[in-house]
Amino acid sequence: MPAADQAISMVVIDKDPMFAMGLCALLEKKSEIQAVARAPSDVLETFQDHHAKDQTGPQIDIVLLDPAQLDLIPSKLVQRLRERFGTRSLISYTNDLSMTLARSCLAAGFRGVLPRTIGLEQLEQAISAVHGGATCIDPTFANLFETAQSTTSVSRPRELTEREIYVLKSVAFGKSLKEIGLELELSSKTIETYKARGSSKLNLQGRRAIVEYAIRNGWVQSEERFG
């Protein structure tokens, strides 16, 4: 059994406490996962009280939740959950299969978008993949993006440089310009230039469009491989 500091620490947020606790119990049957259940009201109250990061334990690796249950747009949700738990990895685990929610979550920096209809084994594998740095999109949502794109006329893009591809992929994975700059040993301003040039070549406007392009072109890992 791995040491506690090697386990994946998780928070499961759900309005149904029995569901959240039951899911935590199932996930913890895998020795490398440690999960705790929280209600949306508990988390939001903490935000409203302007409390600092959760003091009940170490930094949380992954927060699993249904964004449709919380009265916050995904971008604000990401900001506040990171403030509370210190995590960079959020997974949407939802019954809401709308493209609007999926797109908003990915644009805000979620690392996973999954429907609640997937099996426990698939969920566990997605959690491990996200913990390892991947972004997991279930085919249910990938198909929505593909359908939307088929109705849109897009000009054929000019060829990207390796640096432009690297920067756009990193942006799609939720990294900040500063983080990308540290990886490439370049300034944030230079990274912004690569991002702008690549986006211009692909006719992309904003991070949401970059994420969608990454999904369509296989830059983002699909949950399909875990089926």
Side-chain angles (χ1 to χ4, degrees), residues 53-188:
K53 188 185 301 181
D54 191 350
Q55 299 298 313
T56 60
Q59 176 172 306
I60 300 300
D61 295 315
I62 296 175
V63 176
L64 183 78
L65 73 157
D66 183 350
Q69 293 183 2
L70 288 89
D71 190 23
L72 285 172
I73 60 174
S75 58
K76 291 293 185 182
L77 190 56
V78 168
Q79 177 185 350
R80 292 185 175 184
L81 286 172
R82 286 175 178 172
E83 289 173 357
R84 171 72 192 277
F85 297 113
T87 181
R88 289 195 54 81
S89 299
L90 278 69
I91 297 177
S92 171
Y93 183 56
T94 180
N95 287 319
D96 186 337
L97 304 184
S98 69
M99 185 174 67
T100 299
L101 180 62
R103 289 172 62 181
S104 296
C105 287
L106 290 170
F110 275 67
R111 293 298 181 91
V113 182
L114 310 171
R116 292 203 178 189
T117 52
I118 65 171
L120 179 63
E121 184 177 355
Q122 288 178 300
L123 176 59
E124 291 169 340
Q125 290 171 340
I127 289 169
S128 296
V130 168
H131 185 250
T135 296
C136 294
I137 313 298
D138 187 84
T140 300
F141 297 103
N143 290 340
L144 288 174
F145 284 104
E146 183 177 352
T147 300
Q149 175 60 18
S150 66
T151 64
T152 305
S153 175
V154 180
S155 301
R156 185 172 182 175
R158 289 175 284 162
E159 186 175 355
L160 298 174
T161 66
E162 290 186 7
R163 281 285 171 86
E164 289 166 351
I165 292 173
Y166 184 91
V167 169
L168 291 180
K169 282 185 177 181
S170 298
V171 170
F173 272 81
K175 295 181 181 178
S176 68
L177 298 184
K178 183 178 179 180
E179 289 173 315
I180 303 170
L182 290 174
E183 292 176 1
L184 296 178
E185 298 183 346
L186 297 170
S187 69
S188 297

